[in-house]
Amino acid sequence: MKKLVLVLSVMLMSAMSFGQWEYVQGENKFDDFSYEGAVVIGKGSSPYTEPAFAIRNTSNSSVSEVLLFNVSYASDGDVVKMYIDDGDVRSYLIETSKDKELINILIGSDFEEIKRELKSGKKLYIRLDTKGGNDKYEFSLGGSSLAINKLKIK
């Protein structure tokens, strides 16, 4: 779990300093894995005013992950609803990290289509539906194509 927090902290700090999509990469020597990601900081309501959205690859996983963090509390089985620009709303189940700080959006077979839309769209809208209510987040897609194209998507 500590490795996830470390990786996400590096990704978050890089994206926060520029405010648009950024490509980040690094190595976690403690847990012996490397990572790369495309990350952006968005807008949300208080107290989650700087949510983050990322696509991440790690050397210890064979699958790209679509992540949401710095957002409200969620549990496994809660739902993320998302759409890009004026497109269709899609719903996905989520998995959370043990400390509930990281949300893995289970995109599955929609990954290639979502990736294509992220690269060509202007805005990504996400609503996190939990047992405690729902929270909405908005992310700019400016610079997403450049950052995502640098990833060695698995």
Side-chain angles (χ1 to χ4, degrees):
M1 191 48 44
K2 289 182 182 182
K3 66 183 176 183
L4 289 176
V5 173
L6 177 63
V7 168
L8 293 175
S9 296
V10 169
M11 291 171 73
L12 179 61
M13 294 304 285
S14 175
M16 282 178 64
S17 61
F18 298 101
Q20 292 215 359
W21 281 75
E22 290 294 320
Y23 172 79
V24 295
Q25 61 182 352
E27 187 175 334
N28 182 326
K29 293 186 184 253
F30 293 112
D31 296 316
D32 193 31
F33 74 93
S34 58
Y35 63 88
E36 65 170 352
V39 63
V40 65
I41 304 301
K43 293 186 273 184
S45 56
S46 183
Y48 310 104
T49 58
E50 294 183 335
F53 180 86
I55 298 174
R56 180 182 72 172
N57 295 330
T58 62
S59 60
N60 61 354
S61 175
S62 62
V63 182
S64 296
E65 298 172 304
V66 179
L67 306 171
L68 189 60
F69 52 102
N70 291 345
V71 297
S72 58
Y73 179 85
S75 298
D76 288 354
D78 285 343
V79 174
V80 161
K81 293 183 179 177
M82 59 190 280
Y83 68 94
I84 297 169
D85 297 332
D86 292 326
D88 294 334
V89 175
R90 294 182 175 101
S91 296
Y92 301 102
L93 292 176
I94 63 169
E95 290 179 343
T96 57
S97 59
K98 290 179 186 176
D99 60 7
K100 306 294 185 194
E101 291 183 7
L102 175 68
I103 295 173
N104 185 0
I105 304 170
L106 303 174
I107 300 288
S109 62
D110 287 351
F111 182 76
E112 287 300 319
E113 184 177 351
I114 294 291
K115 183 178 78 169
R116 200 171 29 259
E117 290 178 13
L118 288 170
K119 290 173 18 177
S120 64
K122 293 183 176 150
K123 292 275 186 193
L124 166 65
Y125 302 92
I126 292 181
R127 186 173 83 187
L128 177 59
D129 291 335
T130 67
K131 294 166 188 69
N134 62 56
D135 290 295
K136 297 175 186 167
Y137 309 102
E138 181 180 321
F139 301 89
S140 168
L141 297 179
S144 61
S145 184
L146 183 63
I148 292 170
N149 284 340
K150 288 182 180 180
L151 293 174
K152 295 167 191 72
I153 299 294
K154 298 182 176 186

